[in-house]
Amino acid sequence: GIDTIVGKALKGRRDDAVISTKVHIRGRNRSWQSGDEDLLDVAAVRRLIEESFTELQTDVIDVFHIQGVNNEDYEYAVGEILPELVRLRDAGSIRFLAVSERNAADPAHVMLERAIADDVFDVILVGFNFFNPSARKSIVPAAEAHDLGITLMCAVDSAMLRPEKARDVFARL
């Protein structure tokens, strides 16, 4: 997979890169497929993190994301998954903890507003693009006030390349 390729590319150059990786909270790991998979349990998260260490050929992940968290799954992510990630951070295996939203499912960034207010993450991954720049007014100032790192996703949306998809995206948002 891609982690193995990155691990090989960084061999002997680990200090030259910031490694960021993730687990999808609903089990869509190492895949961009959508669906309603079951929520990951802590044992699965541990296994996936260990696989990442092996494939990336490192013992430290700089930024680790709980990926694709919707508002309904937020309590589970913070209550069940986050404590394991905090344990790994405290042990020195992860440097920064991150959460990312499900951009298309939460265009108002409700989950990220909760995450910022809870002040339990170091970095947020927020959908921000021409179709939905709303994070500029709501999320970015709040994240800055909490000294959170901000990473953008979907900054250049593929919908911009296909007019029919652009119309659908505009209608949905």
Side-chain angles (χ1 to χ4, degrees), residues 5-25:
I5 294 167
V6 171
K8 287 178 182 179
L10 291 177
K11 190 170 182 129
R13 302 175 45 199
R14 173 60 180 92
D15 292 339
D16 295 337
V18 173
I19 294 178
S20 176
T21 193
K22 64 187 180 289
V23 293
H24 282 277
I25 193 165

Side-chain angles (χ1 to χ4, degrees), residues 20 22 24 28 32 65-70 98-107 109 111-112 123-135 139-140 149-158 160 173:
S20 176
K22 64 187 180 289
H24 282 277
R28 292 180 291 141
W32 290 104
H65 294 261
I66 304 174
Q67 179 80 4
V69 179
N70 62 36
V99 65
S100 77
E101 66 184 357
R102 288 188 64 199
N103 183 42
D106 187 7
H109 316 289
M111 184 281 299
L112 285 180
V123 178
I124 59 168
L125 180 64
V126 59
F128 182 87
N129 57 49
F130 175 77
F131 296 107
N132 186 7
S134 64
I139 297 302
V140 172
I150 303 170
T151 306
L152 303 180
M153 77 170 132
C154 305
V156 179
D157 196 294
S158 64
M160 295 178 76
L173 295 176

